[in-house]
Amino acid sequence: MKIDVSTYMDKFLDSKLVEKYSNRKDEIFQKLNQANMNGWLNPDVSFVDQILEVRDEVLSHSKCLVVVGIGGSFLGAKSFYELFTPYFKKNDFPIIFAGTTLSSTYMKELLEYLETIDFTVNVISKSGTTRETALTYSALKKLLERKYRPEEVKKHIIVTTDPVKGTLRDEVNREGYRSFIIPDNIGGRYSLLTAAHLFPLSFCIDVKELILGYKEGVCLQDDAFSYSVCRRSLFDLGKVVENFVTYENNWYYYLEWLKQLFGETEGKDGKGILPISMIHTRDLHSLGQFVQEGNKIIYETFFKINNMPICDIDGKDLHKVNLIVEDSVISAHVSGGVPCIVIELDDISPRSMGRLSAFFFLVAAYSGYLFDINPFDQPGVEVYKAEVKRRLG
Ligand code: PA5
């Protein structure tokens, strides 16, 4: 993995700003090392064999897994699932990600669909109180109770939640459901290497490869800090929007994951960089116009993949064409006043994406500290929750 924060940056960055933020390195590394929510730096993954056992048992009695969760309790698994699921070939064991909407049409159709097939629910909520998750779980549990005998229902529910507290943990203790934990010192959006994501992902990828890559990624501290300094300096120069750009359609949810990570981490106290995303070349024919010639508030992070499956069209390898278009767009945007960061990956594999994800956890945490905010809370999310609670109880 190569992270280039200089080639397309020289004419934009101010060396005094870069120096100012680079000088905070020791202070920021120390802050992260001492943070009480830094469990994701070296997570305990000794539960993986247990996950694989439960997966095999689920495969023996169910035809699909329904994951119920939202925000940090859903996007990691969803993004990897999309990355490693074929575009068109039907998946033998589909995973449905529910719990992210209160749409009655969606819920009605989901319940009707599940009526006819054997499924297992994996409800994931650290707090156990998130309304979307709780409502969806309640509806699915009632369906399971109609379909199966009480002792069978137990086989079809797996709970991932706090190790000791919360309504879901109480339910596990009361009903004897199987459960996994999200450790106390790991927040939702930093929980990729916990059962919240590794259990659902064990149905579609080799999670041990993901773990291997992740462990490599958390060692990329210097690269992550340089990236954080670059984006923090760009912010001071009026580049307040970071556009994450992919040339692969199945990265859609990975970019949603990045937006959630940075949005919830940095957007507080009136501060932060707004994360947005584009899929090229599709979006070159829509927001591309704005990036090229519109308000100069944007800088971009391009992902470049070196090795992809060969697809020859008219004597040309399509991926080579895609890469040439990507290079051309970077040149055009830089010439239009848009600074660009380029992250190069050898391939798209559970290992390389695990590495990239851990790298971004570091970037998010360092960037939060460079803005002098707490990178691990999300007090703003509570505001709408409190208002809903006032109205709905
Ligand atoms: O990243 C976060 O911490 C949040 O996005 C949470 O994951 C999200 O709000 C869901 O919370 P919970 O797992 O408590 O249901």
Side-chain angles (χ1 to χ4, degrees):
M1 182 167 135
K2 255 172 57 192
I3 299 118
D4 184 350
V5 292
S6 60
T7 309
Y8 308 102
M9 213 48 79
D10 286 351
K11 72 177 202 187
F12 299 104
L13 276 185
D14 172 340
S15 56
K16 286 214 177 68
L17 274 177
V18 172
E19 197 188 326
K20 173 178 148 190
Y21 291 119
S22 298
N23 285 342
R24 294 188 61 187
K25 188 171 181 176
D26 291 347
E27 168 220 327
I28 282 173
F29 277 34
Q30 199 183 358
K31 268 191 177 147
L32 179 57
N33 284 335
Q34 291 173 352
N36 58 5
M37 293 303 284
N38 72 2
W40 51 272
L41 281 173
N42 188 16
D44 173 10
V45 285
S46 55
F47 57 85
V48 165
D49 288 336
Q50 193 199 344
I51 269 180
L52 299 179
E53 266 172 40
V54 178
R55 175 203 62 186
D56 290 346
E57 196 237 281
V58 170
L59 285 171
S60 73
H61 60 61
S62 290
K63 291 274 174 267
C64 90
L65 180 73
V66 185
V67 173
V68 183
I70 195 166
S73 297
F74 131 85
L75 275 163
K78 172 72 176 170
S79 63
F80 273 72
Y81 179 72
E82 292 294 324
L83 281 171
F84 299 107
T85 300
Y87 282 111
F88 302 110
K89 200 170 146 255
K90 205 170 164 294
N91 206 321
D92 290 342
F93 187 88
I95 302 180
I96 295 171
F97 290 87
T100 61
T101 176
L102 297 173
S103 157
S104 52
T105 309
Y106 178 87
M107 187 66 76
K108 207 165 168 297
E109 290 187 22
L110 176 68
L111 293 171
E112 275 163 20
Y113 174 71
L114 292 173
E115 190 79 51
T116 57
I117 53 173
D118 286 316
F119 68 96
T120 290
V121 172
N122 177 206
V123 56
I124 305 167
S125 178
K126 191 170 181 195
S127 63
T129 55
T130 303
R131 190 173 297 266
E132 297 88 331
T133 310
L135 277 174
T136 308
Y137 171 54
S138 167
L140 294 176
K141 189 174 160 187
K142 285 198 180 78
L143 177 58
L144 287 172
E145 285 167 349
R146 277 207 314 278
K147 280 170 73 124
Y148 304 107
R149 294 192 309 275
E151 64 278 17
E152 288 285 298
V153 171
K154 274 190 192 169
K155 291 189 189 162
H156 290 262
I157 293 179
I158 291 144
V159 178
T160 307
T161 190
D162 186 274
V164 285
K165 55 183 191 296
T167 46
L168 281 174
R169 180 54 58 192
D170 293 346
E171 193 173 323
V172 166
N173 294 338
R174 203 175 53 244
E175 308 284 348
Y177 296 148
R178 265 148 334 151
S179 73
F180 297 114
I181 64 159
I182 306 175
D184 250 2
N185 60 355
I186 302 182
R189 62 189 172 277
Y190 290 87
S191 67
L192 184 65
L193 233 62
T194 72
H197 303 280
L198 295 182
F199 177 64
L201 285 176
S202 69
F203 288 83
C204 57
I205 63 166
D206 181 348
V207 290
K208 291 187 175 167
E209 282 291 299
L210 164 54
I211 294 168
L212 200 62
Y214 184 99
K215 292 200 163 168
E216 292 160 352
V218 281
C219 297
L220 298 172
Q221 289 142 349
D222 289 339
D223 283 320
F225 191 70
S226 304
Y227 185 108
S228 309
V229 166
C230 175
R231 57 199 302 283
R232 183 64 185 84
S233 308
L234 287 168
F235 176 86
D236 282 358
L237 299 169
K239 305 292 181 191
V240 296
V241 178
E242 177 164 10
N243 183 23
F244 293 105
V245 184
T246 179
Y247 280 70
E248 297 297 327
N249 287 11
N250 58 8
W251 276 53
Y252 174 82
Y253 272 99
Y254 193 75
L255 301 190
E256 291 299 305
W257 177 81
L258 277 177
K259 282 168 16 187
Q260 196 252 351
L261 175 64
F262 283 98
E264 273 196 352
T265 295
E266 279 185 339
K268 39 196 92 140
D269 293 350
K271 299 177 184 171
I273 293 166
L274 174 69
I276 65 167
S277 64
M278 287 188 203
I279 294 186
H280 286 183
T281 58
R282 183 193 73 186
D283 294 340
L284 289 170
H285 300 262
S286 77
L287 292 180
Q289 169 62 35
F290 189 101
V291 177
Q292 187 70 49
E293 295 185 339
N295 193 342
K296 293 292 161 225
I297 52 175
I298 299 174
Y299 70 93
E300 298 185 293
T301 295
F302 280 83
F303 296 99
K304 212 166 168 179
I305 321 297
N306 290 328
N307 301 303
M308 292 294 284
I310 294 194
C311 173
D312 190 287
I313 297 185
D314 296 338
K316 284 201 174 77
D317 176 7
L318 188 59
H319 187 58
K320 289 213 172 93
V321 175
N322 211 10
L323 287 176
I324 290 169
V325 173
E326 183 165 5
D327 283 339
S328 312
V329 171
I330 293 170
S331 292
H333 286 188
V334 170
S335 71
V338 180
C340 294
I341 296 167
V342 179
I343 297 186
E344 242 178 81
L345 304 182
D346 282 342
D347 58 13
I348 302 176
S349 62
R351 185 167 171 173
S352 67
M353 296 309 291
R355 194 184 299 128
L356 182 67
S357 306
F359 165 79
F360 273 119
F361 283 155
L362 291 170
V363 175
Y366 295 151
S367 297
Y369 288 132
L370 283 169
F371 272 111
D372 296 306
I373 49 95
N374 176 357
F376 304 118
D377 64 359
Q378 56 284 329
V381 179
E382 302 310 316
V383 181
Y384 100 85
K385 284 189 182 173
E387 184 58 22
V388 175
K389 195 166 172 45
R390 196 179 66 76
R391 292 168 195 228
L392 279 177

